[in-house]
Amino acid sequence: MSAARQPSSRTAQKAPPAAPPPAAAAPAAVPAAAGAAAVPAAVPAPAAARPRKARPPQARRAPAAPKGVRPVPALAPEERARLLSGCHHDPHGLLGARVQRGGVALRVLRPYARAVTVVAKGLRAALLDEGDGLFGGLLPLAEVPDYRLLVTYEDGEVEVQDPYRFLPALGELDLHLIGEGRHEELWTALGARPMEHQGVAGTRFTVWAPNALGVRVTGDFCHWDGTATPMRSLGSTGVWELFLPGIGEGALYKFDIARPDGSHSLRADPMARRTEVPPATASIVTASRYEWGDGAWMAGRGARPVHAAPFSVYEVHLASWRPGLSYRQLAEQLPAYVRELGFTHVELMPVAEHPFGGSWGYQVTGFYAPTSRMGTPDDFRFLVDALHRAGVGVIVDWVPAHFPRDDWALAEFDGRPLYEPQDPRRAAHPDWGTLEFDYGRKEVRNFLVANAVYWCEEFHIDGLRVDAVASMLYLDYSREEGEWAPNEHGGRENPDAVAFLQEMNATVYRRCPGVVTIAEESTAWDGVTRATHHTGPGGFGGLGFGLKWNMGWMHDSLEYIAHEPFHRKYHHNEMTFSMVYAYSENYVLPISHDEVVHGKGALVSKMPGDWWQQRAGHRAYLGFMWAHPGKQLLFMGQEFAQGGEWSEASGPDWWLVDPTYSAAADHLGVRALVCDLNGVYAAAPALWEQDTVPEGFAWVASDAAEDNVFAFLRYAADGSPLLSVSNFSPVVRHDYLLGVPERFPSWAEALNTDATRYGGSGVTNPGRRTPEPTPAHGHPTSLRVTLPPLATVWFRPE
């Protein structure tokens, strides 16, 4: 139910006066009907008019009609001050109703109210004004009735539930798991959760703030004045809780935190599952009603291990892929486009809420909320569902390495370092002006591990690509001497980060079958994709990732292709060195957004030569990349050789593939090649079935530096091969001899990046090629082929 339809929310929209009105005396009587005598306020008229008679047994259980309201003992000055200043740990101990000697004591806090009347069956009693918005009274009742409050303001009267009559809405098991740092479904316990509690609809608000003197929930339902809604502390867990009846979906809220120094800070909910559209920063009460239609996808996605399956990824920045589209509008276009290109997966740059669009999502403030820039959380579910129904997996960039310093978000959340380490040398991230997480604190680790599970379970995400892993693993990352503190063994490794990553991976793989985790790790850390229970030479267990970005291959290969062909022979090893360590991890070959932005130039612009040579080099490079051991990732716009760098403000240059553009054929040809690369790749197990074992690869020509030629064989599990040959020189090489296995009687082209349909010169090897009994490259037979200029050719046996 929308908050706007709740009586308490409607009336809360009435603006209070600029300052609290003077305390009003409690009315002595309820006005009687015309011509009738006045009746005391605490005695309902109908009951007084009834004749006395014996009551049946069940009637004795009903609350007796009180004869009058007496004052309750005044609050101790210190307790009163703490309550009114939002610094009390147990407002439920001071507010609400409880049985005591002499009746039922009731006290409520309603700033700006002129009067408060208690209403129940057979009861209507005006409370006494105690000043400062406090109203109280001792009712001559034997037990607490099922009561409501009739609150009179200067401009009207509203009837509401009393939040302080409810028991805690968070269970003991939840609190125990939170205290242990082992609540794998943390989002079900913390944050804002619409629910029915003790038979009443409302929202449970919970937040972890162990250093706070007090916490109040505030929002549009109380004109952002949380004086009347302080939360209670639940034991030693640091969790604060309040159930607010009548508040539902769509309500805006934040937490007003009283810090240890007594000052107040207004904070967004760290566990918010929906937020306002930036630059607004409030959290929004939400609940999902989405009905998924991807059951077949979810049931089958884990049928084949990802390292032994085709895995070709199209990286997308959702906000700029087609600027201005919502999640649901993207669902109408993106799945069909990706499926047409033949990619098996999309990788979405971070979709978690972030205040600054220029960070591309890598400075997250709302770890549990898809960015509201393009719609609601259920709208994002709709997009994921549409991709799955199109046969496309969804990977999301996940950023547990750091968070921004915004004073309404996580930084010093409750007045002291909480999510960040106490030691400023470990807290401050030197590269991005952000803060790192305290991976050694169990609650922080729980916050992040549960967040990884949340995206996979709540949004059916198929993979998490973990950003900036190296900055987490090393205490001296980007720090100079004296700017970092070693670990307890005197080393530079961060054992807390290692333990966190191991726990995250183990938990995700246990709970979410078919999901893959991928590390962006830029160093030679040992065992990134090794199982967590296997210890490597470094003494640490494996980190447990499924795949790792091969940053070394990316850097070396881009260095090579940037050289003029004449100079490439001096850099030949930059293209072969990757095979020295190819099986040390399970790799993805990434040409990501980082390589085509901010002065680095688009992929086609990195190629030397004229426009034809640049496009040819671009195509040849993609052919080499798709055949090389490892999965592959390509950033949007590079599939059609966009010449300009990517800008998050404008996105890909789609006009280049508009048929009305005079040179569209140049770009459409490259896109056609990407479609065919993915198509042949998916149909050729030799290119993916043995990506992670040496048996899947063999060099044919690794030393043809003078020719700028690289040739190698890929093998499927059944031994069937595919021969890939790349000629990175601008000349045609005729009768080029390449050794091949002798058991295959003929070979034919499977793909040629120089084909005219791709914009090439059309130098091909038509028909079948029969091997000749000439030994070459360690094989007893060989093929004589023609190598097109600046091209990659794939051959497979017929």
Side-chain angles (χ1 to χ4, degrees):
M1 182 181 295
S2 169
R5 294 195 293 271
Q6 299 295 319
S8 61
S9 293
R10 282 201 305 267
T11 54
Q13 299 305 311
K14 298 176 182 178
V30 177
V39 181
V43 182
R50 285 198 293 267
R52 293 182 178 272
K53 62 179 180 178
R55 293 183 180 139
Q58 64 269 27
R60 283 196 293 269
R61 293 198 295 269
K67 297 180 181 179
V69 177
R70 290 180 291 160
V72 290
L75 293 176
E78 180 186 356
E79 296 279 275
R80 182 186 181 101
R82 289 173 58 203
L83 176 66
L84 294 175
S85 65
C87 296
H88 206 289
H89 70 288
D90 185 23
H92 291 71
L94 306 180
L95 303 175
R98 58 190 49 78
V99 177
Q100 66 178 51
R101 186 174 182 178
V104 172
L106 178 63
R107 178 176 278 115
V108 300
L109 177 57
R110 289 285 161 173
Y112 312 117
R114 294 300 183 96
V116 177
T117 301
V118 182
V119 179
K121 184 176 181 181
L123 170 68
R124 184 183 178 94
L127 299 180
L128 306 176
D129 190 342
E130 300 178 343
D132 297 322
L134 288 166
F135 295 82
L138 183 64
L139 308 177
L141 302 173
E143 59 186 39
V144 177
D146 182 12
Y147 69 93
R148 294 174 69 88
L149 302 175
L150 195 63
V151 185
T152 303
Y153 293 98
E154 184 177 16
D155 58 352
E157 189 175 72
V158 295
E159 186 175 307
V160 296
Q161 292 274 2
D162 182 4
Y164 298 93
R165 62 177 288 255
F166 294 91
L167 297 171
L170 192 63
E172 290 296 325
L173 178 59
D174 286 314
L175 289 172
H176 172 75
L177 293 173
I178 291 170
E180 292 290 315
R182 296 290 179 183
H183 203 309
E184 294 178 0
E185 297 179 1
L186 190 64
W187 66 93
T188 66
L190 296 182
R193 188 172 188 83
M195 62 191 306
E196 185 174 294
H197 182 46
Q198 295 177 213
V200 176
T203 295
R204 181 195 68 197
F205 294 92
T206 45
V207 64
W208 178 61
N211 297 310
L213 296 179
V215 181
R216 300 186 286 202
V217 62
T218 184
D220 59 355
F221 44 83
C222 61
H223 296 283
W224 297 100
D225 182 347
T227 304
T229 48
M231 305 173 74
R232 63 180 146 202
S233 176
L234 298 179
S236 61
T237 60
V239 174
W240 300 76
E241 180 266 354
L242 180 65
F243 175 75
L244 284 183
I247 304 303
E249 293 178 58
L252 305 182
Y253 72 98
K254 282 188 177 183
F255 295 113
D256 177 2
I257 295 178
R259 297 181 287 195
D261 64 0
S263 63
H264 283 256
S265 178
L266 203 58
R267 299 286 176 143
D269 183 2
M271 302 292 299
R273 300 193 301 280
R274 184 182 173 193
T275 70
E276 284 189 291
V277 179
T281 59
S283 306
I284 302 178
V285 177
T286 189
S288 176
R289 290 179 174 77
Y290 189 75
E291 296 184 7
W292 290 90
D294 62 349
W297 171 271
M298 295 295 287
R301 68 179 181 181
R304 188 195 300 268
V306 68
H307 64 274
F311 192 85
S312 181
V313 183
Y314 182 60
E315 188 187 22
V316 175
H317 181 251
L318 277 181
S320 68
W321 186 73
R322 293 280 190 181
L325 295 189
S326 68
Y327 289 129
R328 289 183 179 265
Q329 290 169 329
L330 284 163
E332 298 173 1
Q333 299 186 34
L334 183 61
Y337 185 77
V338 176
R339 184 172 184 173
E340 179 186 1
L341 287 175
F343 287 98
T344 65
H345 291 73
V346 292
E347 180 176 316
L348 308 179
M349 292 168 66
V351 295
E353 193 59 270
H354 50 283
F356 176 48
S359 76
W360 313 330
Y362 290 99
Q363 294 194 7
V364 178
T365 50
F367 281 81
Y368 284 80
T371 179
S372 55
R373 291 169 172 87
M374 292 167 281
T376 69
D378 275 358
D379 292 337
F380 179 64
R381 288 181 174 91
F382 184 87
L383 171 59
V384 175
D385 201 355
L387 285 159
H388 283 172
R389 286 184 277 111
V392 178
V394 181
I395 301 163
V396 165
D397 277 12
W398 186 54
V399 192
H402 64 127
F403 57 92
R405 296 174 179 266
D406 300 72
D407 60 7
W408 51 267
L410 295 183
E412 293 193 353
F413 181 76
D414 58 4
R416 291 179 180 164
L418 186 65
Y419 289 90
E420 66 271 38
Q422 299 276 345
D423 187 342
R425 292 174 297 176
R426 293 195 178 186
H429 199 296
D431 284 351
W432 304 310
T434 53
L435 295 169
E436 299 186 12
F437 282 100
D438 184 357
Y439 306 109
R441 184 159 191 166
K442 62 182 185 295
E443 298 95 340
V444 175
R445 198 164 58 241
N446 191 177
F447 172 82
L448 292 171
V449 171
N451 186 242
V453 173
Y454 172 77
W455 286 99
C456 297
E457 293 189 354
E458 288 291 315
F459 295 100
H460 291 197
I461 298 302
D462 305 296
L464 298 172
R465 177 267 193 184
V466 183
D467 182 65
V469 171
S471 74
M472 303 162 64
L473 293 174
Y474 296 98
L475 296 169
D476 63 344
Y477 185 87
S478 287
R479 292 174 171 89
E480 301 296 332
E481 189 69 29
E483 295 178 347
W484 62 281
N487 61 35
E488 60 183 0
H489 304 294
R492 57 196 287 256
E493 301 85 4
N494 187 342
D496 293 333
V498 172
F500 155 66
L501 292 170
Q502 291 172 329
E503 181 181 347
M504 181 277 296
N505 281 313
T507 304
V508 166
Y509 279 111
R510 171 171 50 83
R511 292 187 59 117
C512 310
V515 167
V516 62
T517 60
I518 307 166
E520 185 214 17
E521 202 284 310
S522 56
T523 74
W525 182 279
D526 181 63
V528 173
T529 58
R530 187 186 299 124
T532 57
H533 60 279
H534 290 165
T535 302
F540 294 101
L543 297 184
F545 285 94
L547 298 169
K548 172 183 172 176
W549 274 20
N550 194 335
M551 310 295 282
W553 173 89
M554 177 272 297
H555 179 271
D556 290 344
S557 63
L558 291 181
E559 281 284 318
Y560 175 85
I561 63 160
H563 291 290
E564 293 285 345
F566 177 79
H567 297 290
R568 284 174 176 167
K569 61 185 176 182
Y570 304 112
H571 301 271
H572 196 76
N573 67 311
E574 292 175 355
M575 292 289 266
T576 60
F577 181 67
S578 59
M579 291 312 302
V580 173
Y581 60 88
Y583 305 109
S584 61
E585 304 282 2
N586 304 332
Y587 282 117
V588 175
L589 312 180
I591 300 299
S592 73
H593 63 277
D594 276 330
E595 307 315 314
V596 296
V597 73
H598 289 338
K600 293 186 177 181
L603 181 58
V604 72
S605 300
K606 299 178 190 292
M607 309 292 167
D610 59 23
W611 176 230
W612 189 95
Q613 290 176 319
Q614 286 182 310
R615 285 185 293 119
H618 181 100
R619 296 192 304 268
Y621 181 81
L622 293 181
F624 175 84
M625 173 181 174
W626 255 248
H628 191 284
K631 313 309 178 183
Q632 55 276 334
L633 175 143
L634 190 66
F635 183 60
M636 64 184 193
Q638 311 315 298
E639 77 274 15
F640 57 82
Q642 172 177 313
E645 291 179 340
W646 169 63
S647 164
E648 76 277 1
S650 57
D653 293 333
W654 293 110
W655 56 272
L656 294 172
V657 289
D658 185 334
T660 62
Y661 172 54
S662 59
D666 294 349
H667 301 276
L668 290 169
V670 176
R671 190 167 72 179
L673 169 66
V674 172
C675 292
D676 289 351
L677 282 170
N678 279 324
V680 177
Y681 166 81
L687 291 177
W688 43 262
E689 204 167 39
Q690 298 196 98
D691 259 335
T692 60
V693 292
E695 293 79 8
F697 176 90
W699 279 114
V700 173
S702 63
D703 57 356
E706 292 291 334
D707 299 335
N708 294 350
V709 169
F710 304 88
F712 52 82
L713 287 160
R714 298 295 312 278
Y715 290 98
D718 65 1
S720 57
L722 183 144
L723 173 64
S724 175
V725 191
S726 297
N727 175 20
F728 285 103
S729 65
V731 298
V732 180
R733 302 196 182 278
H734 298 281
D735 293 328
Y736 205 84
L737 199 66
L738 296 167
V740 292
E742 66 176 331
R743 65 188 179 97
F744 301 103
S746 65
W747 296 68
E749 280 190 1
L751 183 140
N752 186 331
T753 67
D754 193 51
T756 54
R757 67 184 299 260
Y758 307 140
S761 60
V763 176
T764 63
N765 294 269
R768 297 180 178 180
R769 295 278 158 158
T770 302
E772 59 183 64
T774 303
H777 304 113
H779 294 280
T781 58
S782 56
L783 287 179
R784 289 190 181 274
V785 299
T786 298
L787 301 184
L790 297 173
T792 293
V793 185
W794 293 353
F795 298 91
R796 60 185 169 195
E798 293 288 322

